[in-house]
Amino acid sequence: MAVADELRASGAEVSFLGTRNRIEAELVPAAGYEIDFLKVRGIDRGNRLRAALAAAEALAAAGTALRVFWRRRPDVVLGGGGFVAGPAGLAAVLARIPLVLTEADSHLGLANHLLAGRARRVCLSFPIEGREDGRYVVTGRPVPRAVLAADRDAARERFGIASAARCLLVMGGSQGARSINECAIAAFAERGGRDFDLIHLAGRRDFEPLEERLAAAPHNQRYTLLAYEPDLGDSLAACDLVLGRAGGSIFELTAAGRPAVLVPYPHAAAGHQEGNAAWMAAAGAAAVIRDEELTAERLATEITELLRDGNRLAAMTSASAALAMPDAARRIADRVLGAAR
């Protein structure tokens, strides 16, 4: 979306391809963009039958994408990885429309791996070994303008957090983050000893059971539980530390200059979340807990110690900010415009 905003600001017309059952079906129209839908799903590599059905569905979706391109006549197609980008990118190649790809993780995902050789440019979030020729460029990962423009005082006023208080943001709304959601409630609402505020983005799937647990918890003061936020601007601005997975959202953390305790999703493709977490940790911007080692007791100890250690927290905050590439959306938009025929 951030790249779309930059392209629109440059005078380009932008539309999206997506699926009806994912969040883009809401976010894209709400941002004022048109969207066309493909029927496609992710490939389950552990089940051959499901993988074959998904592959057949992807080929059919490429045909749908070709019909969309025939109607819209795009000058360039931008693929963001994932199961929609595969059919869309294939359609672009077949229609001889210039293709630009973006990769959010520390390795090329399946769609980008298959399409990279036919793309004009591949915009990387991280340097990737073996991907150094002129086709590849490290741009960073785009972040929403709301993250870059958020005001800390206004955000804290919104959440009722005192200016001098410490605050933890729990990002439990991503795929496979149930273990984080449940441990956070257990560690910080059902156990005593917390002396900081907490904003918990639980995701819609887990929100209702967590809401019931929080209401019954003995230490639910200064604990804001939300199902969803349309952007992370206020949440990141208000907090001092983030607890979450290590997907592409780590770039929003660095753009906001926020340190993190990361729990990589253990079933992420090719272990890419472990690589993402290692990138932040190596820079001194994050601590890492393996998912199988995550307990309420360990979480309470590590988070509390970190929030009470002002010097360490300040050093991690500076390290996170040093990793930021806030102009990533503009860099990618420039490559897209350059590839347009």
Side-chain angles (χ1 to χ4, degrees):
M1 196 75 73
V3 178
D5 291 343
E6 292 289 346
L7 290 168
R8 186 161 60 180
S10 298
E13 295 182 10
V14 181
S15 67
F16 282 77
L17 282 169
T19 60
R20 293 185 183 277
N21 59 350
R22 292 179 68 88
I23 193 65
E24 65 263 21
E26 297 179 26
L27 294 184
V28 170
Y33 295 99
E34 295 183 3
I35 183 169
D36 295 289
F37 295 107
L38 304 182
K39 184 179 179 182
V40 65
R41 74 184 90 173
I43 294 178
D44 184 350
R45 302 183 192 184
N47 186 305
R48 290 185 179 181
L49 176 59
R50 289 181 181 176
L53 290 173
E57 199 169 67
L59 288 175
T64 303
L66 277 170
R67 290 190 290 273
V68 171
F69 294 162
W70 178 258
R71 174 166 49 87
R72 291 196 178 273
R73 302 288 183 176
D75 297 297
V76 62
V77 171
L78 174 65
F83 47 84
V84 170
L90 175 60
V93 171
L94 293 174
R96 298 185 179 181
I97 300 169
L99 176 64
V100 176
L101 302 174
T102 63
E103 178 55 66
D105 295 310
S106 52
H107 81 295
L108 291 186
L110 178 60
N112 283 344
H113 179 76
L114 294 174
L115 292 168
R118 306 299 297 270
R120 294 282 184 90
R121 289 287 183 273
V122 182
C123 300
L124 303 176
S125 298
F126 309 87
I128 298 178
E129 186 177 355
R131 307 286 179 175
E132 294 96 2
D133 67 40
R135 188 188 312 270
Y136 298 90
V137 57
V138 178
T139 58
R141 183 178 187 269
V143 298
R145 291 181 178 179
V147 171
L148 302 173
D151 179 78
R152 182 174 176 85
D153 291 337
R156 290 207 154 200
E157 182 177 356
R158 174 193 165 191
F159 290 114
I161 301 171
S163 60
R166 295 293 193 194
C167 177
L168 172 70
L169 170 63
V170 179
M171 294 170 54
S174 60
Q175 180 187 31
R178 180 163 288 165
S179 60
I180 294 176
N181 279 333
E182 293 182 348
C183 277
I185 287 282
F188 304 122
E190 295 174 342
R191 293 165 54 97
R194 174 170 56 88
D195 58 359
F196 51 86
D197 288 83
L198 198 148
I199 303 168
H200 186 163
L201 307 181
R204 291 170 176 165
R205 179 195 60 187
D206 292 344
F207 177 74
E208 288 187 6
L210 291 176
E211 186 179 37
E212 292 177 3
R213 285 180 63 180
L214 182 62
H219 306 285
N220 58 14
Q221 301 82 11
R222 299 170 65 188
Y223 197 123
T224 300
L225 179 69
L226 301 172
Y228 170 72
E229 281 277 274
D231 63 67
L232 293 174
D234 282 352
S235 302
L236 285 171
C239 78
D240 300 288
L241 178 68
V242 177
L243 167 66
R245 292 299 193 198
S249 61
I250 62 171
F251 286 91
E252 293 174 66
L253 273 57
T254 61
R258 294 296 181 266
V261 174
L262 299 175
V263 185
Y265 181 49
H267 306 297
H272 71 263
Q273 288 206 10
E274 293 181 2
N276 295 354
W279 175 72
M280 281 194 74
V288 181
I289 302 176
R290 294 177 64 86
D291 189 80
E292 61 268 26
E293 298 172 355
L294 182 66
T295 64
E297 293 76 13
R298 179 172 179 182
L299 191 60
T301 298
E302 294 211 15
I303 294 291
T304 300
E305 289 180 354
L306 182 50
L307 285 173
R308 290 177 178 174
D309 188 341
N311 290 335
R312 183 184 175 200
L313 192 65
M316 292 177 69
T317 298
S318 296
S320 180
L323 291 173
M325 300 180 74
D327 60 344
R330 182 68 257 168
R331 294 185 184 193
I332 295 171
D334 287 343
R335 269 65 181 190
V336 172
L337 293 171
R341 61 188 184 190

